[in-house]
Amino acid sequence: YNNTSGQVNIASGYFALLANTSGSHNIASGQQALYSNTIGNYNIASGYKALYSNTTGSENVANGNQALYSNTTAGNNVANGKGALRNNTTGGGNTASGYHVSYANTTGSENVANGNQALRFNTTGSKNIAIGTIALYSNTTGGNNIAIGEASGRYTSSNASNQTSSFSIYIGRSTKALSSGDTNEIVI
């Protein structure tokens, strides 16, 4: 609708790529996919409101209902699943696959999350790896963690939420940190 100099774009769906002016090499499929994009390049959005708020972010892939919905300027993200990286705004280099994976992430970067609701409440924590349903679920700001297994790293030994631990490794179902904020733990 507003395209002035953008080239090699494909839009399919009601108001897909509506605000695009000069962004090029974008693919938007679904109602309001890449709706706010103006100059972002090389993005792929598939699903209802996927990459909806993106304006200048480039080289993102969003597949699923509201995947990367709030992304504005961040690039190099991959979100696959309903609500994956839903609240991400400027965090770049993230990979999220599953339902509501990294849903609360806003500025956290270089995270990898695979499994329903893995890294669900992460906001600014970076360089985390969470593999398994609800792995590192409660993490908000902790970084450089590895969690492999269902609910790994979600709780502390007192069953409180593990929100801020960093530089730690949790391997196995329901492995727990000694306390939130701990660093350099290895729990198997």
Side-chain angles (χ1 to χ4, degrees):
Y1 296 103
N2 296 314
N3 195 66
T4 54
S5 60
Q7 300 176 17
V8 195
N9 292 303
I10 299 171
S12 173
Y14 181 73
F15 287 149
L17 266 172
L18 177 74
N20 194 72
T21 55
S22 59
S24 296
H25 303 280
N26 294 295
I27 299 172
S29 176
Q31 182 177 336
Q32 298 176 343
L34 274 167
Y35 177 86
S36 302
N37 193 75
T38 54
I39 63 172
N41 298 306
Y42 299 99
N43 292 296
I44 299 172
S46 176
Y48 174 73
K49 293 188 178 180
L51 273 166
Y52 177 87
S53 302
N54 194 75
T55 54
T56 62
S58 295
E59 299 179 0
N60 293 295
V61 176
N63 181 30
N65 182 342
Q66 297 185 7
L68 275 166
Y69 174 89
S70 298
N71 195 79
T72 54
T73 60
N76 302 306
N77 290 298
V78 176
N80 184 30
K82 181 180 180 181
L85 283 164
R86 164 71 168 74
N87 292 306
N88 190 73
T89 54
T90 59
N94 294 297
T95 302
S97 182
Y99 172 79
H100 283 193
V101 176
S102 297
Y103 183 89
N105 193 77
T106 54
T107 61
S109 297
E110 300 177 10
N111 292 299
V112 175
N114 184 22
N116 289 342
Q117 300 191 56
L119 272 173
R120 168 70 169 81
F121 288 104
N122 189 72
T123 54
T124 60
S126 294
K127 298 181 179 171
N128 292 296
I129 298 172
I131 299 172
T133 300
I134 62 176
L136 286 174
Y137 177 88
S138 304
N139 187 74
T140 56
T141 59
N144 298 284
N145 294 300
I146 298 172
I148 300 172
E150 181 183 352
S152 55
R154 179 179 182 181
Y155 294 115
T156 66
S157 58
S158 63
N159 289 324
S161 294
N162 182 24
Q163 299 175 320
T164 60
S165 291
S166 295
F167 301 99
S168 295
I169 299 171
Y170 309 96
I171 298 175
R173 185 176 187 270
S174 299
T175 48
K176 300 176 181 182
L178 187 58
S179 64
S180 187
D182 280 357
T183 59
N184 298 311
E185 279 189 313
I186 299 176
V187 183
I188 299 175

